[in-house]
Amino acid sequence: MRRTGNPWIERVGFVLAFAAVHAALWWLTAVSANLPLGDVTITYSRWIETGRSADFWVGIDGEWVYPILAIVPMAAAALGGIASIGSGWLLLMVLLDAVACAFLCRFRASGVLGAAGRAGGSSARGVRVVWWWLAFLLALGPIALGRIDTVATVFALVGVAFVASSPAVASALFTAGAWTKVWPAALVAVLLLLRKGHRRGVLSGALVLTALIVLVDVLWGGAPYLLSFIGEQTGRALQIESPLATPFMWAAAFGAPGAAVFYNQQILTFEVSGAGTDAAAAVSTPLMAVVVVAGVVLALWAARRGARRAELAPVLALLFVAALIATNKVGSPQYIGWLAVPIVWGLAAGTPSARRFVPIALAALPTAVLTQLIYPGYYDQVLTLQPWMLVVLTVRNVLEVAILAWTVVELVRMGRSAGRMDA
């Protein structure tokens, strides 16, 4: 279908919308309760100040909770001084989001996000995928800019732009994200599993970038702590926002013996205690592994039956990311931002994939809004177990599980449909 409208008007409109959304997010970080930028102004700034004043850099001279590449944006945000690290961080995140938008603006999505398809299977021109992402950022609120996860997400979103044209570049970008906040490593796995004929390039992109990062880290003397982030999460109990913690939060609200919210001083997070919480925390990692393996088996089964690998890839990516969120004993609010990457991938992977992902793209918006209500909106009321906020938390967590369930159902349906077409 011929493109209509003035492209300059669209570009100016998008620039204005981008500026408005990010101005709103910046403002929310300043006025919202519960310190949405606290990790930056308190924790990140302490790490950088310690590095500068005592020449002790986390991840290099001692163990650290993040992969080593995460220190780079933290240090960059403090170039104007530790006192201004908050403003420096927000400015850096806005610039990174602008880079991601520049790469995503070429993609359009059909279906509900755009005009209705015409009879006979052809599709009218849809809106650009990046408009959905802007709406998602606004729905998620200040946490969309206030954590290191933003950097990893931008790496991954730019990587999505190269999945079809250059899987090696996409793999390298996903790997950069993984060396910032681990989870984009799942996207490299998707490419290795489903980009048939490009696996050597995918592997080369990941290995070359990893080798460069490791080499620099070793030259700086950080070899002993290069992988220290792997063991830093093992001692966690159930964080209060995680889906696995939901029944225990209700138990605490109803006064069950031993059930309570407490603050873990060692890892600086709120967790829930009570009968069964240790078992739930222990089962979270095996449960996550089972879901991931099941997703891999279903995706490969569907591919063997003739389902298009380009359409399977974003569904499997969403399964991986949703599993990392829904089965995790850590339920940090910024994790919801990860959903943007496989959803954008699905919306950008052609008309059939875009139509398939429209319901999930729409479901992700209330999931993000509820997350913003939980944190930073009314986090103090979550901590005091107010019933209405526990309802909000429960609904949000049900949506997380529902998104994961959708990926499983969709993989099965794609495999069955491919088998019927082949027959």
Side-chain angles (χ1 to χ4, degrees):
M1 181 176 179
R2 186 189 305 177
R3 298 179 65 176
T4 58
N6 190 322
W8 284 104
I9 293 177
E10 183 182 8
R11 290 170 189 168
V12 171
F14 176 76
V15 169
L16 292 175
F18 178 91
V21 166
H22 284 78
L25 295 176
W26 193 311
W27 175 74
L28 285 170
T29 63
V31 302
S32 297
N34 301 305
L35 295 175
L37 205 61
D39 275 25
V40 176
T41 58
I42 298 173
T43 307
Y44 299 177
S45 64
R46 185 177 71 247
W47 288 332
I48 300 304
E49 176 64 21
T50 302
R52 289 180 173 182
S53 61
D55 198 26
F56 181 93
W57 293 93
V58 288
I60 296 175
D61 302 304
E63 295 182 346
W64 197 28
V65 70
Y66 295 130
I68 190 59
L69 198 58
I71 200 68
V72 176
M74 295 177 190
L79 287 176
I82 294 296
S84 62
I85 190 173
S87 298
W89 180 267
L90 291 173
L91 178 60
L92 179 60
M93 296 306 104
V94 172
L95 292 175
L96 288 175
D97 278 0
V99 171
C101 285
F103 282 93
L104 296 180
C105 271
R106 65 178 187 164
F107 294 120
R108 294 183 180 273
S110 302
V112 175
L113 291 179
R118 294 181 179 272
S122 62
S123 175
R125 184 171 65 94
V127 299
R128 294 193 187 276
V129 172
V130 73
W131 283 96
W132 173 85
W133 187 47
L134 279 186
F136 180 76
L137 289 176
L138 189 60
L140 188 56
I143 201 68
L145 299 181
R147 297 293 186 273
I148 189 64
D149 301 69
T150 304
V151 180
T153 298
V154 168
F155 274 128
L157 284 171
V158 177
V160 166
F162 288 94
V163 164
S165 60
S166 182
V169 173
S171 177
L173 287 163
F174 292 159
T175 301
W179 277 104
T180 306
K181 190 62 192 289
V182 182
W183 71 266
L187 308 178
V188 179
V190 171
L191 293 181
L192 286 172
L193 287 166
L194 294 176
R195 284 298 278 156
K196 191 175 181 180
H198 295 275
R199 290 185 178 121
R200 181 176 296 178
V202 170
L203 194 59
S204 297
L207 291 178
V208 168
L209 187 66
T210 295
L212 288 174
I213 292 172
V214 171
L215 177 62
V216 172
D217 185 72
V218 169
L219 292 176
W220 277 88
Y225 306 106
L226 179 65
L227 301 178
S228 61
F229 62 91
I230 295 175
E232 286 293 298
Q233 303 290 337
T234 56
R236 284 180 178 251
L238 279 183
Q239 190 167 313
I240 60 173
E241 302 104 302
S242 66
L244 289 172
T246 303
F248 303 104
M249 291 291 286
W250 280 105
F254 283 108
V261 171
F262 69 96
Y263 187 65
N264 188 323
Q265 292 282 355
Q266 183 177 359
I267 56 177
L268 309 178
T269 188
F270 286 96
E271 298 174 348
V272 62
S273 62
T277 54
D278 290 341
V283 80
S284 65
T285 301
L287 177 61
M288 186 186 300
V290 168
V291 173
V292 167
V293 170
V296 170
V297 170
L298 286 174
L300 294 179
W301 164 77
R304 291 195 63 179
R305 288 174 67 88
R308 294 189 66 239
R309 290 172 179 262
E311 295 180 23
L312 285 170
V315 179
L316 182 60
L318 182 57
L319 183 146
F320 284 169
V321 171
L324 289 172
I325 297 171
T327 64
N328 206 322
K329 60 185 176 181
V330 180
S332 299
Q334 61 267 26
Y335 289 8
I336 300 301
W338 305 354
L339 293 172
V341 177
I343 291 175
V344 165
W345 190 345
L347 292 174
T351 298
S353 179
R355 288 174 173 167
R356 180 179 296 112
F357 267 81
V358 161
I360 291 301
L362 296 178
L365 297 178
T367 305
V369 170
L370 294 174
T371 300
Q372 184 176 174
L373 287 176
I374 295 164
Y375 186 87
Y378 297 94
Y379 197 62
D380 53 337
Q381 297 194 36
V382 177
L383 298 178
T384 55
L385 302 170
Q386 298 301 309
W388 81 276
M389 276 310 300
L390 290 187
V391 170
V392 171
L393 180 63
T394 301
V395 173
R396 195 283 306 268
N397 289 345
V398 167
L399 285 172
E400 291 179 4
V401 176
I403 290 171
L404 175 59
W406 177 88
T407 63
V408 175
V409 171
E410 200 58 35
L411 287 174
V412 172
R413 187 165 65 178
M414 293 173 76
R416 288 180 175 176
S417 296
R420 286 196 295 269
M421 290 174 64
D422 185 61

